[in-house]
Amino acid sequence: GISAINHWLERKLTDDAQLAQTFDTRRRMLSQMGHFVADETYAEPIFLNQHWLSVRLYRWAAGFGANGISQEFVSFSLADGKPFHPWQWFIADKPTQTLPESMSYPLPPALKEKLFANAVPDAECPSADGSGYFQLTLEANGIKFWEMPHGDGCEQEFILTPQEAMPFATPWGQTQLKLLE
C-alpha cells in the first residue's frame, strides 16, 4: 500500500490548482511587498501502526495570516493504500470507498450523553456542552475527538482508548477499533 499512499499524497500536494495558487501568491507578494514570500505546504505523519498511517496535510497561503491556514487529516490502510477517515467508524454502517466530505461532525448522541451528561452550563463557553463539531484523529494513546480552536479557549478535546470508544462505533467500526488494541 505504500506506493499507493505516496501516489495519493503526490497528487494531493502537487496538483495544478495548488501550483497556480503558489505562483499567484508569489506574483502578488512581489508586487505588494517587493520580495518573495512562499506558501507552506506539507504532509506530516501523526500516527502509524501495522495497519494504518495517518497524515496531517497542512497549507498556509502566504499573505493571508491565520485565514490562509488549512489542514486536513487523512488515514490510509497500509494493506492497500486506500484513504479513509476514522469518522467512518462512527457514522457509517459499512465501509465506503470515498472520504467523507466533512472532517468535522457532531458527536454521536450516545457519546455526547456519556461525556457531557454532567456538564455545567458556562456563560462564557455556551458550546462547552459537546454541541460543537469535532475532528477525530488517531493518536498513539487512542482516538482523539477535538474541536478546532477558535481563540476563545472554549474548545473541547478528549481521548478515548479503543475499548472506551467501542460502544459508540458502528459494527464495522468496532472491527476496526480492535486493530488498534
Side-chain angles (χ1 to χ4, degrees), residues 1-13 51 53 55 57 74-84 97 99:
I2 299 298
S3 63
I5 294 169
N6 284 334
H7 183 69
W8 190 95
L9 289 170
E10 181 181 19
R11 280 193 331 258
K12 180 75 173 178
L13 296 171
H51 303 287
L53 166 69
V55 176
L57 303 170
V74 181
S75 295
F76 299 91
S77 165
L78 292 177
D80 60 15
K82 291 182 180 176
F84 72 94
Q97 296 300 315
L99 292 172

Side-chain angles (χ1 to χ4, degrees), residues 96-117:
T96 61
Q97 296 300 315
T98 59
L99 292 172
E101 287 186 28
S102 174
M103 297 296 158
S104 295
Y105 289 90
L107 292 173
L111 181 57
K112 180 181 172 184
E113 175 63 30
K114 176 181 175 28
L115 295 170
F116 294 95

Side-chain angles (χ1 to χ4, degrees), residues 78-178:
L78 292 177
D80 60 15
K82 291 182 180 176
F84 72 94
H85 195 282
W87 262 122
Q88 292 171 301
W89 300 345
F90 297 91
I91 61 173
D93 290 333
K94 59 183 178 177
T96 61
Q97 296 300 315
T98 59
L99 292 172
E101 287 186 28
S102 174
M103 297 296 158
S104 295
Y105 289 90
L107 292 173
L111 181 57
K112 180 181 172 184
E113 175 63 30
K114 176 181 175 28
L115 295 170
F116 294 95
N118 299 322
V120 177
D122 185 342
E124 291 184 26
C125 296
S127 66
D129 61 356
S131 62
Y133 280 71
F134 287 78
Q135 298 276 332
L136 189 154
T137 50
L138 299 176
E139 303 280 328
N141 53 347
I143 301 157
K144 182 177 179 181
F145 294 84
W146 55 279
E147 292 178 300
M148 290 291 286
H150 301 290
D152 59 5
C154 294
E155 59 274 351
Q156 303 287 313
E157 78 174 47
F158 52 93
I159 295 178
L160 296 179
T161 66
Q163 298 81 13
E164 292 170 328
M166 196 74 66
F168 309 105
T170 64
W172 176 69
Q174 291 174 354
T175 64
Q176 301 306 298
L177 287 169
K178 288 178 184 172

